[in-house]
Amino acid sequence: MSADPTEDFKERDEELLRAVLSAPEGDLRAFEQLVQQYQNRILADCRFLTRDENNAEDLAQEVFVKAFFGLRSFEGRSSFRHWLKRIKVNHCLNHLKKSEGKAFLAIDDEVAEGLEQLRVSPVAERDLEAMGDRQRIAGILDSMPAPLRVPLILRDMDEFSYEDIAVTLGIGLSAVKMRIKRARERFRRCYEEEDRARKGNPAR
């Protein structure tokens, strides 16, 4: 087994993809294995991105339907995992645009002046999981407005570059960096406030 778990996942995905593409018409067993491998993560991400508990499961299913019908055009330039993430992000953003108009992009941004101001460490997924209760994390993300929540998830959970986020959201690079900085600060502040409240030591 490879020492790098990411490589193991990539090899497994490639093997399953070959099985999907070579399967007889109507044989979905290999694709169902891919779905099982990613369904929990995609469902959680749809929930985090859209803040829509009622439709998150439908959105996740639609992501896999899009992936299935798009597999023949998948050229392997990126990993299947990254390709699936992009389908998920685009599908969820389309859902947000339909449900909220373009309000999730409408926020006043200060001009980012220098990288020093933007050096707030990432809220990486492994750090989120280490913090404990996923429902608690979801609650904090739910409390954040979409203009902060969406770029934070794209950067720190989906590992998109700042440039990719700017293109995906149709906003400037400096705006992306400033929103992510604000989002990281707000997430940590909310988490620390909850910690103090749980311990019976609210901030004075």
Side-chain angles (χ1 to χ4, degrees), residues 117 120 180-190:
Q117 298 177 15
V120 179
I180 291 171
K181 173 181 180 288
R182 290 177 181 170
R184 287 171 176 168
E185 290 173 339
R186 179 164 176 165
F187 185 96
R188 286 197 168 87
R189 183 173 65 251
C190 290

Side-chain angles (χ1 to χ4, degrees), residues 20-204:
V20 171
L21 294 174
S22 63
E25 186 175 352
D27 184 350
L28 302 178
R29 287 174 295 178
F31 185 73
E32 286 170 355
Q33 289 183 58
L34 276 174
V35 171
Q36 289 171 6
Q37 187 162 297
Y38 287 102
Q39 62 184 355
N40 290 338
R41 171 65 185 274
I42 294 296
L43 176 58
D45 282 1
C46 287
R47 172 70 179 80
F48 286 149
L49 276 171
T50 65
R51 200 164 51 183
D52 189 342
E53 183 72 39
N54 294 328
N55 289 306
E57 189 168 341
D58 287 342
L59 289 169
Q61 290 176 353
E62 290 161 6
V63 167
F64 286 112
V65 170
K66 285 190 171 185
F68 179 76
F69 286 107
L71 273 178
R72 300 281 174 188
S73 61
F74 175 57
E75 298 178 350
R77 294 179 183 176
S78 63
S79 67
F80 174 78
R81 175 173 172 267
H82 187 70
W83 181 72
L84 187 62
K85 279 183 182 181
R86 285 198 168 276
I87 294 175
K88 173 209 67 186
V89 167
N90 290 333
H91 192 60
C92 287
L93 291 181
N94 285 337
H95 176 75
L96 279 173
K97 287 175 183 177
K98 289 175 183 176
S99 60
E100 300 181 25
K102 299 206 174 183
F104 75 101
L105 294 180
I107 189 172
D108 292 329
D109 286 292
E110 299 170 6
V111 176
E113 297 180 354
L115 294 177
E116 286 296 327
Q117 298 177 15
L118 301 175
R119 288 182 181 173
V120 179
S121 58
V123 183
E125 183 180 22
R126 59 181 177 275
D127 296 327
L128 292 179
E129 290 176 349
M131 288 177 180
D133 189 354
R134 288 184 66 85
Q135 288 185 339
R136 184 179 174 192
I137 293 164
I140 295 173
L141 289 173
D142 279 355
S143 73
M144 298 171 69
L148 298 183
R149 184 184 74 253
V150 171
L152 176 68
I153 293 171
L154 296 188
R155 177 61 183 167
D156 288 352
M157 298 179 73
D158 282 333
E159 301 173 341
F160 279 36
S161 69
Y162 289 109
E163 292 79 6
D164 281 348
I165 296 170
V167 171
T168 299
L169 298 182
I171 58 178
L173 187 60
S174 63
V176 168
K177 291 178 178 179
M178 184 57 71
R179 291 187 194 190
I180 291 171
K181 173 181 180 288
R182 290 177 181 170
R184 287 171 176 168
E185 290 173 339
R186 179 164 176 165
F187 185 96
R188 286 197 168 87
R189 183 173 65 251
C190 290
Y191 198 92
E192 288 165 3
E193 287 172 356
E194 282 200 11
D195 257 353
R196 285 193 291 267
R198 288 187 175 200
K199 293 174 183 175
N201 184 29
R204 294 180 181 179

